[in-house]
């Protein structure tokens, strides 16, 4: 089992550029979560999907952020245009919702730096 | 979501037991107590969870107070690899409409001395 896969692991971009973060959840999982972690705000839930449908996007900070899950094995988080305050580590996690534990498994994260 | 309160930091020596406390006085009857930890430069990982009874697994033990308003994560013999941020999280039971949503607080930074 490869676990949750995120790409890229590191991204450095300039303000105003579009950034796309990618996530491949664990096969068989039906829930997917995007988190953002900064020193100031800690670990924040941005959005989560169940069976590829967005359930709660109340954590998405602005309209510049969007997330999609076109199928059960792939999700993207897009920032357009990016700003320096978007610099953070972005984590994707997946789980099997409906089981006894709903344990979330996290990917290694994408460290985003916006200059 | 019901809130949890944890100490900002704790220290331990290697091979000694560690007791990490968590207060959750507003816990509801359907809230499970989950613990995750985050090792340096990694994503969080699941440690253990429970509802009412004490729980043991290969990583740790979870002791839950009888009134469920507090709990303690127990690492029986701390190793250097256990140095991490430990998060105590309340979560609605499996199923329902929460889909396993987790709300992370600031957690407890555990330092393990050799």
């Amino acid at each position: 089992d490869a676990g949750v896969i995120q790409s890229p692991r590191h991204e450095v971009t300039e303000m105003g550029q579009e950034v796309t973060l990618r996530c491949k959840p664990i096969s068989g999982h039906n829930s997917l979560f995007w988190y953002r972690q900064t020193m100031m705000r800690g670990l924040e839930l941005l959005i989560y999907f169940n069976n590829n449908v967005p359930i709660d996007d109340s954590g998405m900070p602005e309209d510049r952020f969007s997330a999609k899950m076109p199928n059960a094995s792939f999700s993207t988080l897009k920032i357009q245009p990016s700003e320096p305050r978007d610099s953070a580590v972005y984590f994707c996690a997946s789980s099997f919702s409906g089981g006894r534990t709903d344990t979330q498994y996290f990917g290694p994260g994408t460290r985003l730096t916006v200059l | 979501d019901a809130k949890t309160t944890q100490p900002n930091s704790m220290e331990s020596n290697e091979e000694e037991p560690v007791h990490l406390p968590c207060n959750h006085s507003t816990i509801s009857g359907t809230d499970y107590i989950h613990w995750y930890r985050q090792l340096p430069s990694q994503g969080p990982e699941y440690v253990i969870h429970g509802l009412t009874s004490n729980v043991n697994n290969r990583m740790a033990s979870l002791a839950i107070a009888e009134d469920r308003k507090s709990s303690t994560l127990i690492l029986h013999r701390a190793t250097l690899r256990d140095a991490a941020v430990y998060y105590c999280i309340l979560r609605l039971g499996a199923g329902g409409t929460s889909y396993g949503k987790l709300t992370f607080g600031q957690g407890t930074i555990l330092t393990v001395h050799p």
Side-chain angles (χ1 to χ4, degrees), chain A residues 12-58:
Chain A
V12 180
T13 190
E14 293 190 346
M15 182 174 63
Q17 296 298 307
E18 177 179 297
V19 175
T20 299
L21 310 181
R22 297 171 176 81
C23 176
K24 177 178 170 54
I26 292 173
S27 177
H29 283 184
N30 60 359
S31 290
L32 183 138
F33 306 80
W34 282 101
Y35 294 85
R36 177 174 69 174
Q37 186 170 36
T38 61
M39 288 295 292
M40 291 294 293
R41 301 176 66 90
L43 202 57
E44 304 173 279
L45 177 64
L46 300 178
I47 184 172
Y48 66 98
F49 297 82
N50 180 257
N51 292 326
N52 313 335
V53 176
I55 302 300
D56 184 352
D57 65 354
S58 61

Side-chain angles (χ1 to χ4, degrees), chain A residues 4-9 21-24 34-35 90-93 106-110:
Chain A
V4 175
I5 298 172
Q6 292 187 247
S7 64
R9 294 293 308 277
L21 310 181
R22 297 171 176 81
C23 176
K24 177 178 170 54
W34 282 101
Y35 294 85
Y90 291 81
F91 290 103
C92 175
F106 284 75
T110 295

Side-chain angles (χ1 to χ4, degrees), chain A residues 9 31 33 35 37 39-43 45 48 50 55-56 91 95 97-104 106-108, chain B residues 32 34 36 38 41-46 49 87 91-106:
Chain A
R9 294 293 308 277
S31 290
F33 306 80
Y35 294 85
Q37 186 170 36
M39 288 295 292
M40 291 294 293
R41 301 176 66 90
L43 202 57
L45 177 64
Y48 66 98
N50 180 257
I55 302 300
D56 184 352
F91 290 103
S95 70
S97 179
R100 286 185 57 225
T101 65
D102 289 17
T103 299
Q104 287 189 25
F106 284 75
Chain B
Y32 281 74
H34 284 244
Y36 280 73
Q38 186 173 19
S41 301
Q42 294 188 26
E45 64 176 351
Y46 168 81
H49 80 283
Y87 297 98
R91 223 217 66 213
L92 290 174
T97 58
S98 71
Y99 300 104
K101 173 183 174 181
L102 298 174
T103 302
F104 286 82
Q106 293 305 308

Side-chain angles (χ1 to χ4, degrees), chain A residues 35 95-96 99-106, chain B residues 2 4 6 20-24 27 30-37 45-52 55 57 61-62 64 68 71-73 85-95 98-105 107:
Chain A
Y35 294 85
S95 70
F96 178 69
R100 286 185 57 225
T101 65
D102 289 17
T103 299
Q104 287 189 25
Y105 295 84
F106 284 75
Chain B
T4 63
Q6 300 177 252
L20 297 165
C22 181
N23 287 319
H24 28 78
I27 191 170
T30 55
D31 285 337
Y32 281 74
I33 303 159
H34 284 244
W35 284 81
Y36 280 73
R37 73 179 184 181
E45 64 176 351
Y46 168 81
V47 177
I48 200 167
H49 80 283
L51 183 62
T52 56
V55 184
N57 67 20
S61 296
L62 177 60
I64 301 173
R68 301 208 327 124
S71 61
T72 303
L73 179 71
V85 181
Y86 287 78
Y87 297 98
C88 171
I89 303 166
L90 299 183
R91 223 217 66 213
L92 290 174
S98 71
Y99 300 104
K101 173 183 174 181
L102 298 174
T103 302
F104 286 82

